[in-house]
Amino acid sequence: MPNVLHIKKLNLPHIFIFIAVFTLFNAFSAYSKERLKKEIQRDIKKIQETPHFEKDTTYINLLHELIREYNQYNLDSLLIISNQTIKLSKAIKYDKGETEGYIIKGGYYSDIGEQDDAIFYFIKANLKARAINDTDLTLYSYSELAKEYMYKDEYAKSLKTFLTGIEIAKDSQNDKWLPILYINISVLYSLQKEYEQAVSFLKKALDVNERNDDQRLTGIILSNLAFSYIEIGNIENAKEPVNKAITIFEDLEQNSWLTYVYEIKGTIFLKKNEYDHALFWLNKSEVLHKNIDQTRYKIPLYLLLSKAYYGLRSNEIAASYAVKALEISKELNNLENRDEILKILYEIKKADEDFGQALTYLEEFKAISDTINKKNNIKELSILKSNLEFEQEKEKYISDNEQKNLLQRSYIYFSILIILAFTIIIVILKRNNKIQNSLNQKLIENTHALKKNEIHLNGANNTKIRLFSIIAHDLKGPINSFKSLLDLFNNSKVSQTEFMHFMPQIGENIESIAFTLNNLLTWGQSQMNGLSTKPDFINVNTLVEDSLRLLSKQADVKSISTINKVEDHVITWSDRDQIDIVIRNLISNAVKFTRAHGTITVAAIEQNEFWQIQIKDNGVGMSEDVLTNIFSEKETSTTYGTQNEKGTGLGLRVCKEMVENNGGTIWVESEIEKGSTFYFTLPKGEKL
C-alpha cells in the first residue's frame, strides 16, 4: 500500500503550502504501513537474534520502516538510521536499500535547513535509482530533489525536475506518483501567485487520485486547494475542502498534516477578523507542534498567532510570538515570511509608541523585502511555464472537442494531426533550446573560471608585493648590518676580539632571520598555492618541549621561567609540522613580550571533542584596539618586544591559518600590564 513517507512545508506569505512526498516500494510492501512502532521494533529485535542479521535485506527494510514512523518526532534518528542502512546496503550490494538511505539522509539535511547537502544526497539517490532502473525510487528521488530546489528558490531547476518526473510517471502509467507531481507543480504556480493555475493542477491531482482512493493524499490535495482559494480571495470556497481535510487527518491521526490544516482554518477566521475563532484553531496547531521535531515549520504558526493576538489588542503576547518566529527564521537563515514577521513587529511597536524599536524593525523590513524580491531564474521559468501552458491548452482542446461531438471523428483526427504537428515543433524547439542552454552553461562556466583565475592571480600578486615589502623592511636591515660587520672584519678595521664580541648579537640576528623566513615562506605558500594538511596522531607535549628547548636561549637572556603542564596523553589528530609552527610562534611571542624574570606557562584542557591548548604569560599585555586586529588578514605590522625584539607581524596570521586548517579555532585574552593568554583548539585523536 502506498504511504506518505515525508511531509514538507514551503513557507509563503500569510500561510504555507505542504508538498507531499509520496513513495511506492514493491520491496517494502510486505510490511504494512499500519504496523505499530512497537511491532516493528519487536521484529527488528527478533532478526538481530539471528546470525549475520546485518546482511539480511529484511533487516534494512525494517529500519527504513521504523524511521517512517519516527521521522516527524526525532530528526536525529533520520541521520543515524540512514548512515547505518547505507553502510549495511553497500556491504551486501543492496542497491535499493542504499538508494533509500540516501533519500532519508537528504531528508534529514533538508529538515535542518542544509539545502546544499540535501541536494547532494538526493542527486546520489537519483543516479543510483536510474542505474538500477527502479521507477518508484527514481520518481521518489526526482520529487525530493525538485522540492529542495524549490526551497532554495531555484524554481527553474525545480520545474525541470518535476517535468522530468511527470514524463516518467506518464510513460510508466504510474498513477500513484502523477497526482503528487501535479500537487508540487501547483506549489510552483502558487509561488508565482498564479493561484488559478495552481487550482487547475490540484483538480487534476484530485481526479487521478480518485482511482487510487488514497485518503491521505486526498486530504493533502484538499488542504492545498483551501490555501489556493484563500489566496485568490474566495474564502467561501476554502471552507469545504479545509473541513473535509480536517476530518480525514483526524481520522488518520496525521498530526503533522493537522498542524497545517488547523492553521489554514485559523487563517480563514483571520481574513474575516474573527480573532477569537482564529486563535482557537491556531492554539490546536501549537499543541500538536510540541511533539513534532520540525522547528522551521513553527515560523508561519508563530506569525499567525502574532496576528491573532494583535487583532485582539494583546500586543505583548503578539510581540512575543513574532520575536520567536524571527529568532527561528534567523537561526535557520530562512527568508520566507521574514518580511511579514518584521512588518507585524513594526506595527506592534508603533502601536505601543515604542518608535525607536519600530523604526529598527521597519528598516530591517525594507532590507529583507529588497532581498526577497531579487530572483535569478525568472527568464528561464517563464519559458518553461509557457511550455506547460501550451500542454494545458492542448489537453483542454482535446477534451472540449471530445465532449462537444464524439461523432465527428474526422474533426477529431484532424485535431490530433494538428497536435502531433505542434508536438514535433515543440520537440525541435526544446532540442534547440537544450543545445542553446548547454552552450550558455559552458560560457558561464568559462567566465567563472576566468574570474576565479583573475582573483587567484590578483591574490598571488598582492602576496608577492607583501612578501617583498617585508623582506625589504624586516630582513634587509639585519642582513646588511651583518654584511657591513663582515666587510669591516675582512678589511681589518675590526679585530678578531672585537668581532667575537659581536657574535652573540649576530647569532640572535641569524635566528631571528631564520624564524622570520620560516613564517614568510609558510604564509606565502598558503596564500599562493594553499597548504597541504596531512593529519596524524601527534603528542602535543613533545612539540611543546621541542619549542621550549629551541627558545630557551631567548628565555634565559631575560631570565624567563617556562613551565610545561601538558601531559603525555594529550594526543591530537593534526598536521605535525603546522602545529609545531603554531606552538613555536606563540611561545616566541610570549618570550618577546614578557619582561625579565617573567613566567610562561603552557597547558592543555580536555573538552568533548577537542583539546584546548593555552600559552599564558605575565608580560606587557595588549589594548582592546590591538586585540581587535591581532589576527587581521588585511594588515601586516611589526611590533617590538620588551628588549626591542623585532618580528614580521605574520606569525599570528600563520597561526590562525594553521589552526583552522586542522579543524580548530584560535583566540586571545589579554589585559595591559597583566599579560596575555593565547588559546587554540585541536581535534582529539580521531580523523577530521
Side-chain angles (χ1 to χ4, degrees), residues 29 101 294 525 675:
S29 61
Q294 293 181 332
Q525 181 188 12

Side-chain angles (χ1 to χ4, degrees), residues 549-600:
R549 184 171 60 256
L550 288 172
L551 297 168
S552 61
K553 184 176 180 180
Q554 292 93 315
D556 291 343
V557 169
K558 299 169 74 173
S559 299
I560 293 173
S561 299
T562 57
I563 302 171
N564 179 12
K565 292 185 177 181
V566 180
E567 299 179 1
D568 282 334
H569 68 273
V570 181
I571 305 297
T572 73
W573 180 258
S574 310
D575 187 295
R576 176 182 297 274
D577 294 334
Q578 293 181 21
I579 302 308
D580 185 36
I581 290 172
V582 171
I583 293 173
R584 193 173 304 173
N585 268 282
L586 294 179
I587 294 177
S588 175
N589 277 353
V591 173
K592 178 178 174 182
F593 293 105
T594 300
R595 295 190 178 91
H597 306 292
T599 302
I600 297 171

Side-chain angles (χ1 to χ4, degrees), residues 567-673:
E567 299 179 1
D568 282 334
H569 68 273
V570 181
I571 305 297
T572 73
W573 180 258
S574 310
D575 187 295
R576 176 182 297 274
D577 294 334
Q578 293 181 21
I579 302 308
D580 185 36
I581 290 172
V582 171
I583 293 173
R584 193 173 304 173
N585 268 282
L586 294 179
I587 294 177
S588 175
N589 277 353
V591 173
K592 178 178 174 182
F593 293 105
T594 300
R595 295 190 178 91
H597 306 292
T599 302
I600 297 171
T601 304
V602 185
I605 300 173
E606 185 173 6
Q607 297 179 337
N608 290 336
E609 298 178 359
F610 295 87
W611 285 104
Q612 178 180 295
I613 315 300
Q614 62 182 45
I615 299 174
K616 181 178 181 181
D617 65 64
N618 57 358
V620 299
M622 290 176 280
S623 65
E624 290 294 331
D625 292 340
V626 174
L627 286 174
T628 301
N629 298 313
I630 193 166
F631 293 110
S632 173
E633 296 183 358
K634 297 180 180 180
E635 298 181 9
T636 301
S637 60
T638 300
T639 52
Y640 294 85
T642 58
Q643 293 187 357
N644 209 33
E645 302 101 319
K646 192 176 185 182
T648 65
L650 281 175
L652 291 179
R653 184 183 305 177
V654 172
C655 290
K656 181 176 183 293
E657 293 180 3
M658 298 292 187
V659 169
E660 291 178 351
N661 283 345
N662 286 273
T665 55
I666 186 169
W667 69 97
V668 61
E669 296 175 359
S670 183
E671 190 174 348
I672 293 291
E673 300 302 329

Side-chain angles (χ1 to χ4, degrees), residues 169-183:
K170 285 183 176 179
D171 291 343
S172 60
Q173 297 181 344
N174 194 321
D175 286 345
K176 301 297 182 181
W177 269 105
L178 200 53
I180 298 301
L181 296 167
Y182 282 149
I183 292 171

Side-chain angles (χ1 to χ4, degrees), residues 187-289:
V187 174
L188 276 177
Y189 277 101
S190 294
L191 289 170
Q192 299 300 307
K193 302 188 184 303
E194 296 183 13
Y195 299 108
E196 297 288 352
Q197 294 279 16
V199 168
S200 172
F201 276 105
L202 288 170
K203 288 182 177 179
K204 282 186 177 184
L206 201 59
D207 290 340
V208 176
N209 189 56
E210 283 182 356
R211 299 194 289 268
N212 306 325
D213 194 27
D214 186 327
Q215 286 299 300
R216 187 186 306 186
L217 193 56
T218 299
I220 293 170
I221 298 168
L222 292 172
S223 301
N224 286 347
L225 264 176
F227 167 79
S228 297
Y229 283 132
I230 290 173
E231 291 302 310
I232 291 171
N234 195 335
I235 301 298
E236 292 303 315
N237 278 3
K239 291 180 180 179
E240 182 180 354
V242 75
N243 289 335
K244 287 183 178 179
I246 289 174
T247 301
I248 290 172
F249 291 136
E250 286 180 342
D251 290 342
L252 296 176
E253 297 182 355
Q254 294 292 307
N255 289 344
S256 291
W257 283 106
L258 279 173
T259 62
Y260 171 51
V261 291
Y262 286 162
E263 289 166 39
I264 292 180
K265 186 78 172 180
T267 301
I268 291 175
F269 286 112
L270 278 179
K271 294 285 186 180
K272 298 166 66 176
N273 296 329
E274 296 179 15
Y275 301 110
D276 286 326
H277 291 91
L279 200 56
F280 171 80
W281 291 101
L282 295 175
N283 285 334
K284 285 171 71 73
S285 178
E286 186 178 22
V287 170
L288 293 179
H289 265 291

Side-chain angles (χ1 to χ4, degrees), residues 4 36 72 95 104 127 139 223 250 270 410 456 470 493 498 500 514 531 553 563 600-601 642:
V4 175
L36 298 174
Q72 299 298 319
D95 294 326
I104 293 173
L127 293 173
L139 292 173
S223 301
E250 286 180 342
L270 278 179
S410 59
H456 177 74
I470 293 169
K493 294 183 180 180
E498 290 174 326
M500 293 303 296
L531 281 177
K553 184 176 180 180
I563 302 171
I600 297 171
T601 304
T642 58

